Amino acid sequence: MTKPDAARNFLLSEVEGLDPFDMILVAPAERPLRVAEVTRTEEGGLEVRMPGRPPIVPQLEPAVVRALNELEFASEDPGDPTKPWVRSVEDAESAVELLQKVRVEVFGEKPDVNINVMHGSHRAEHEATQKLALARTRIESIVSDLLGRTAEKDQDGDFILPIGQVHVTVAPRSMPDGVIVIRIFAITNVSVDVTPELGLFLARLNFGLMFGRFALDAEHRSIWFDETLLGEEFREEEFRFVVRMIASTADGWDDQLKQMFGGVTYQEALTRRAVDVLPPIKPGEGTGMYL
């Protein structure tokens, strides 16, 4: 077992040595998911965090969340498990004291439990956030010019472009390595009959396409058409071309796909001529985890 005083002194020296964006991760040796983090902010302050958890990792239990609230941790979106729970502290001693409280009061560990300490940095994440903000600014300017007005945004902050009978969505994202991707897509059909024939038809259709691809969301019985641009420094001409291509291809196939495989077009679902449940996720979300 770890001697509490020795562990405290070691952690204190580790926290004091953090540079901006640096962090240490502290977890019981036998329970790595019970991890807490101390981060030095860009401005030089200190934060203790419970890192957010992606969908493939078990989520924090309600009792853990309640205990974090009692310790005055806060999340920018408590309903989103990928967001961290954060509390600012005044100095390294306060950070180490709070780490101990998390181990004991939140996770019920003994004070002298063996711990592992790992080092990391949020610098790449910070730089990716800046690049993503730059990409969003460029996109907003271009799509507003395309539409002749300010573009509508959905709950994720993605841009919605009604073009003809199609709604094109522009979704900029940051990959885990900081690379920016811009997913441009349209839902063509919902409530389709999911059959092997549909999958084979879409595969053959994709083989003949020069740009874009059709995809089947079998779980939600929907068909998507999308294309991806890479990097925040995309060419405006390329962006405009992809938006127009997505809109025209989706508009050219949605009625045909409806006739062949049932369901309704996405436009019909939006205008309430159909009462089908719209897909709750977007291409690339879920287990892929690169959006």
Side-chain angles (χ1 to χ4, degrees):
M1 305 301 283
T2 299
K3 294 182 179 179
D5 288 343
R8 178 185 177 281
N9 291 334
F10 173 74
L11 290 174
L12 189 60
S13 66
E14 294 289 288
V15 173
E16 289 175 339
L18 292 176
D19 290 326
F21 302 114
D22 286 351
M23 65 176 175
I24 60 168
L25 296 165
V26 182
E30 302 299 325
R31 298 179 178 85
L33 288 182
R34 295 185 172 183
V35 62
E37 168 191 327
V38 181
T39 297
R40 180 78 68 181
T41 67
E42 182 179 12
E43 297 78 16
L46 288 171
E47 292 179 343
V48 179
R49 300 183 177 190
M50 295 295 297
R53 298 190 172 193
I56 62 172
V57 177
Q59 306 306 306
L60 295 176
E61 299 174 357
V64 170
V65 174
R66 288 194 296 270
L68 290 173
N69 278 319
E70 291 174 0
L71 289 177
E72 299 181 351
F73 282 81
S75 169
E76 63 180 72
D77 184 358
D80 184 352
T82 67
K83 301 295 184 183
W85 289 81
V86 182
R87 176 179 162 182
S88 298
V89 292
E90 293 184 358
D91 49 35
E93 289 190 1
S94 300
V96 172
E97 180 182 352
L98 187 54
L99 281 177
Q100 179 73 336
K101 286 185 177 180
V102 168
R103 286 203 300 275
V104 175
E105 298 180 19
V106 175
F107 289 120
E109 299 285 353
K110 294 180 179 179
D112 56 354
V113 66
N114 286 331
I115 59 174
N116 287 331
V117 178
M118 296 159 284
H119 293 79
S121 174
H122 284 295
R123 184 174 297 278
E125 177 185 337
H126 173 74
E127 292 174 351
T129 299
Q130 290 182 315
K131 291 193 292 185
L132 186 59
L134 175 63
R136 288 186 178 277
T137 299
R138 289 194 64 208
I139 290 169
E140 186 163 20
S141 175
I142 297 170
V143 298
S144 296
D145 183 62
L146 276 170
L147 298 175
R149 57 178 172 79
T150 301
E152 177 187 351
K153 298 179 184 179
D154 65 12
Q155 66 272 15
D156 297 321
D158 298 330
F159 301 93
I160 308 298
L161 286 67
I163 300 176
Q165 297 299 309
V166 175
H167 279 68
V168 177
T169 299
V170 179
R173 294 289 189 274
S174 174
M175 296 175 66
D177 60 0
V179 173
I180 303 301
V181 295
I182 302 168
R183 205 73 180 263
I184 304 173
F185 62 88
I187 307 174
T188 62
N189 301 77
V190 296
S191 298
V192 296
D193 298 326
V194 179
T195 63
E197 290 75 17
L198 172 57
L200 180 60
F201 179 84
L202 293 179
R204 287 174 171 170
L205 184 57
N206 284 337
F207 185 73
L209 294 174
M210 186 173 295
F211 298 100
R213 62 159 189 169
F214 283 95
L216 173 63
D217 179 359
E219 181 179 357
H220 302 104
R221 300 173 59 199
S222 59
I223 300 173
W224 306 70
F225 185 67
D226 75 289
E227 182 62 281
T228 301
L229 298 178
L230 186 64
E232 70 278 10
E233 296 297 333
F234 57 87
R235 292 188 299 115
E236 181 175 340
E237 178 184 4
E238 180 184 21
F239 179 88
R240 289 174 177 266
F241 168 80
V242 171
V243 169
R244 292 193 297 266
M245 180 270 297
I246 293 291
S248 61
T249 306
D251 189 38
W253 278 100
D254 56 359
D255 287 321
Q256 296 184 60
L257 291 169
K258 171 187 171 181
Q259 294 173 6
M260 297 172 67
F261 300 104
V264 295
T265 68
Y266 186 69
Q267 184 66 22
E268 288 173 335
L270 287 178
T271 55
R272 300 180 181 273
R273 291 199 295 258
V275 294
D276 304 83
V277 177
L278 301 179
I281 62 172
K282 299 175 180 179
E285 292 182 337
T287 55
M289 292 179 58
Y290 57 87
L291 281 184

